[in-house]
Amino acid sequence: MRSTRTSRRRFARVGGLLGATSLAAFVCGAVAVRAEDDAEAAKAKPKKPSIVFAADDGVHGPAMWITDGTPSGTKFLADINPGPGRADINQIARLKKGVVIFSAKDFDAPAPHGDELWITDGTPKGTKLLKDIEPGPIGSNIGWLTPVGGGKAMFKADTTVEGGELWITDGTSKGTRLVKDIFPGRYIDPLAGERANSGTPWQITAIGGGSAIFRAQAAMNDTEAWVSDGTPEGTKLLKAINPTGGSGARDFVALGDGRTTFSATDGANGGELYVTDGTTSGTKLVKDINPGSGGSSVGGLFFGEMGLLKKGRIVFSAFTPDKGAELWTSDGTANGTKLVKEIDDGLESWGDPASSDVQNIAAMGDGRALFAASDGGQNFELWITDGKGKGTKLVKDINPGSAVGSGPKGFAPIGKGRFLFAATDAARGRELWVTDGTSKGTKLVKDIAPGAASGMASTPRFLPLGDGRAIFAADDGAKGLELWVSDGAAKGTKLLKDINKGSGSSSPTSFTSLGD
């Protein structure tokens, strides 16, 4: 029997792509660092990691830095925009071993560039503009920078000639080129005059074999799923799922078996779960979870509510009128798509079924996933699932009695089945926690900002170092938002370096491994 209660406020729902990052990493900023597995590397002395990131030391403005996880090995790398001005460094991604690409601006340089593609090998000399795609201070507005394998990456870039279209790079100026003008032609903007149409590739997601899937439009407001192998002839519309207005394809998750799931609408049915093998005939509706035009809002109303559980299977949020928005699972087939558990079986105050609002899904690598959800009694707390009802349960009520819960997010693996994350409780604010998926193994690591103040950012970003530790940004209330490191224990959680001396914040972000 359902209980009735006052409606929860939904502002605690969290979406977002990590980043950045590809959608297969709907793990809100967690990045796995892989060790070399050949015999020679196994015998060799472990190398210290090389991590590049953006930070502001108060002198150079936001600039590139590098760290090996030690205070002495955390150093200034390059000043992209000379002086204290902003470089707006973002979209950082590893292209290949020892090489990272990123977008940045150098407005204050003698010959200024807008947002363009840069490259670094971790040395000052090797950090440079890769290509000035749209010359001048406006820049090409790089977006969705996504490694696709083979030392290449695809991304969106804007030019006055082609508009926002799909590009590819191999780390050389010559090899950085337009893949295809998906939406050719021009139109008249009432304010800006004649402008190029834009295919606007969005949510570019690597699917293996040097290929990617993404959303784009070949006509105004006609967004559909597209695929590309990095060549003009290999870049094509996957399928006109909704020929009369675009399917709005989104939330692509590579299953790791040659297939990709995503959310789309065919016009008659609302947003539902689709699967593709990269061909038109192999692109189909998996299951009409909520028949009719309303749809099941697969993946939720925001991003980050669909994630990989294990190879060939996802878990996601989906809505039905009798259950609300709850946790579902799918293997890409109709029979294998089912409700996992009705986590919140109560009623809203107006009588509709309440929703658990599943979010922040993070695969654990062992067939289970961590996520945040509300069962009505414990709002937005830490849960775990193995894709089955019996194996889906509350891990720990970190913030008892709160109207919004602890809001766990940013799950980052540090080895031995443990994950760092940020969570809030009434006594200590938003701080660093660790979990192994059990209540006993879920505990506060350290109250970085003592008392009710929060030491962790509202949207935490971690990068595992591959040695049982992870780096992240935190604020202890005295030194500002700076670079920290943790091994999951209080003693091993410390300020790595006060980059912006004193109470100022260096705001380190976009941690990316060179993998050298």
Side-chain angles (χ1 to χ4, degrees):
M1 182 175 180
R2 292 179 180 273
S3 60
T4 303
R5 61 176 173 277
T6 302
S7 174
R8 299 187 305 274
R9 295 180 69 185
R10 299 295 168 85
F11 61 81
R13 178 189 283 267
V14 177
L17 294 179
L18 297 187
T21 86
S22 69
L23 197 61
F26 256 129
V27 290
C28 301
V31 180
V33 177
R34 296 180 180 175
E36 295 291 330
D37 60 0
D38 59 272
E40 290 303 314
K43 295 176 183 177
K45 182 179 179 180
K47 292 180 66 176
K48 290 182 179 179
S50 294
I51 311 298
V52 293
F53 61 100
D56 183 352
D57 62 4
V59 177
H60 300 95
M64 291 295 287
W65 284 68
I66 190 166
T67 184
D68 63 2
T70 68
S72 61
T74 302
K75 306 172 182 178
F76 173 77
L77 177 59
D79 191 2
I80 304 300
N81 188 26
R86 295 191 61 84
D88 290 340
I89 300 166
N90 54 35
Q91 297 284 326
I92 302 180
R94 195 181 90 165
L95 184 65
K96 57 186 177 182
K97 187 176 181 179
V99 179
V100 162
I101 51 178
F102 59 98
S103 65
K105 303 173 182 177
D106 63 352
F107 281 147
D108 299 322
H113 304 93
D115 187 57
E116 292 293 353
L117 193 62
W118 289 67
I119 191 167
T120 184
D121 60 3
T123 68
K125 186 177 179 180
T127 304
K128 54 192 173 185
L129 178 69
L130 179 55
K131 187 163 187 169
D132 190 8
I133 295 173
E134 177 65 16
I138 294 178
S140 60
N141 191 28
I142 303 294
W144 296 104
L145 190 56
T146 306
V148 294
K152 296 181 180 180
M154 294 187 200
F155 58 98
K156 185 273 299 179
D158 295 337
T159 67
T160 54
V161 176
E162 292 97 4
E165 295 294 348
L166 185 67
W167 284 64
I168 192 168
T169 185
D170 62 0
T172 68
S173 179
K174 185 178 180 180
T176 302
R177 56 178 174 79
L178 173 72
V179 175
K180 188 170 186 173
D181 189 359
I182 294 172
F183 188 2
R186 306 184 75 79
Y187 71 100
I188 302 299
D189 185 306
L191 298 177
E194 186 178 88
R195 302 189 67 177
N197 291 322
S198 294
T200 318
W202 189 70
Q203 276 192 354
I204 300 171
T205 305
I207 56 175
S211 295
I213 188 171
F214 56 96
R215 186 170 97 175
Q217 60 178 14
M220 197 64 71
N221 300 318
D222 185 25
T223 55
E224 289 286 358
W226 283 64
V227 289
S228 178
D229 63 1
T231 67
E233 59 275 12
T235 302
K236 50 195 172 183
L237 173 68
L238 193 53
K239 187 174 185 177
I241 294 173
N242 182 7
T244 61
S247 67
R250 70 171 205 177
D251 292 348
F252 304 102
V253 179
L255 293 176
D257 58 6
R259 299 177 302 152
T260 303
T261 57
F262 60 99
S263 171
T265 175
D266 62 7
N269 301 296
E272 294 291 353
L273 185 66
Y274 279 72
V275 68
T276 183
D277 61 3
T279 67
T280 299
S281 61
T283 302
K284 57 189 75 175
L285 174 69
V286 176
K287 189 170 188 173
D288 191 5
I289 294 173
N290 181 23
S293 60
S296 62
S297 297
V298 168
L301 300 177
F302 297 84
F303 306 121
E305 297 166 24
M306 183 187 293
L308 193 67
L309 181 65
K310 58 184 179 181
K311 184 177 180 179
R313 180 168 290 278
I314 61 169
V315 284
F316 59 98
S317 170
F319 172 87
T320 60
D322 60 329
K323 303 290 186 183
E326 293 294 343
L327 185 68
W328 284 65
T329 187
S330 178
D331 62 359
T333 69
N335 287 339
T337 302
K338 57 190 74 175
L339 176 71
V340 175
K341 187 170 187 173
E342 186 179 9
I343 294 172
D344 190 338
D345 61 359
L347 293 172
E348 300 289 10
S349 58
W350 54 85
D352 287 347
S355 296
S356 63
D357 293 334
V358 171
Q359 57 190 246
N360 304 334
I361 298 168
M364 297 183 73
D366 61 359
R368 300 180 299 161
L370 298 166
F371 63 98
S374 170
D375 66 3
Q378 290 81 30
N379 287 319
F380 300 106
E381 288 295 347
L382 181 62
W383 285 69
I384 193 169
T385 186
D386 60 1
K388 300 175 182 178
K390 189 175 180 180
T392 302
K393 49 194 171 185
L394 176 70
V395 176
K396 191 164 190 170
D397 186 7
I398 293 172
N399 196 8
S402 167
V404 295
S406 66
K409 67 174 85 168
F411 304 108
I414 55 172
K416 298 181 180 179
R418 299 175 304 148
F419 286 73
L420 291 176
F421 66 101
T424 302
D425 70 15
R428 290 170 288 241
R430 192 158 196 79
E431 294 294 347
L432 184 66
W433 287 67
V434 68
T435 186
D436 61 1
T438 68
S439 179
K440 184 178 180 180
T442 302
K443 57 189 75 174
L444 176 73
V445 176
K446 190 169 188 173
D447 189 5
I448 293 173
S454 294
M456 298 295 295
S458 58
T459 305
R461 294 286 184 267
F462 299 90
L463 182 70
L465 297 178
D467 59 3
R469 302 178 301 156
I471 56 172
F472 57 97
D475 185 347
D476 64 4
K479 297 184 180 299
L481 191 64
E482 292 293 346
L483 186 65
W484 283 65
V485 66
S486 178
D487 62 359
K491 188 176 180 179
T493 301
K494 59 189 75 173
L495 175 69
L496 187 56
K497 189 157 189 169
D498 186 10
I499 294 173
N500 192 335
K501 304 296 183 183
S503 60
S505 294
S506 68
S507 302
T509 187
S510 301
F511 309 113
T512 305
S513 171
L514 276 166
D516 49 358

